Amino acid sequence: MNDVGVFFALAGGVLSFFSPCVFPLLPAYITHLTGGKIENAKLQVSRTKLYTRSIGFIIGFSLIFIALGASASFIGKVLANYRIIIMQIAGLLIIVFGLQMAGLLKFKFLMREKRIEAEHGSKSALSSILLGMAFAAGWSPCVGLALSSILLLAGSSETLSQGVFLLGAYSLGMAIPFFIISIIISYSLKAMRKINRFLPRLAFVNGMIMVMLGFLVLSGQMQKISAWLASYSLFF
């Protein structure tokens, strides 16, 4: 596994979490997940329930994302004889997705939204996992573009384990801020209000990172950079 791909996957996960169509909805997700209430500008819920339900939710969406990464890698492996063409197509698509995320393109069909939501709040650790899986299976324009870019990268990877690791890094990128912000809003919602002001800029940064990734994949520079970093690998 190359460190460059892992970096982009991790960054994609973090910035997906802070996308304009995910982050503002976080209080609603957490209250639905824990059964808590927003009172006095903070989430009222027991710490134990908040921790266990949040971890269950993270496990749920991670399972789906990693399964998608394994599927993309398997398809890429089947089409190994066409790897160069696949990488070039993937690079072009990632560039388009990045420009869309940055707001420089306005393709309406890429902004269609499909969500799978549970009708009732989470009542156990297992239901929290199922809710996380439903979240990952749902389609959000912001997360979908970043996730699709990482899946394209996974599909052009050489082995199945690389694709799984990439989506594991993407899941970790979403999981860490999700858990931290979940704890913060149990004390105060002020931090969310401050972060909300920067969401458009973060969306642009996310898009530019994906465009950079697309150019690296399209030009074949990803492999060259990975080879250069091989002797300094942080993962394998």
Side-chain angles (χ1 to χ4, degrees), residues 9-10 17 20 48 66 71 101 122 128 131 136 147 153 157 182 215:
L10 187 65
F17 174 81
T48 300
I66 291 172
S71 301
M101 279 187 284
S122 174
S128 299
L131 192 60
L147 177 60
L153 186 61
S157 62
S182 297
F215 276 114

Side-chain angles (χ1 to χ4, degrees), residues 8 30 45 74 107 110 114 141 160 190 205 215 223 228 231:
F8 279 110
I30 301 300
V45 66
F74 176 76
F107 292 127
L110 290 178
K114 182 180 179 181
L160 185 66
K190 291 182 179 179
V205 171
F215 276 114
Q223 288 84 350
W228 180 74
S231 58

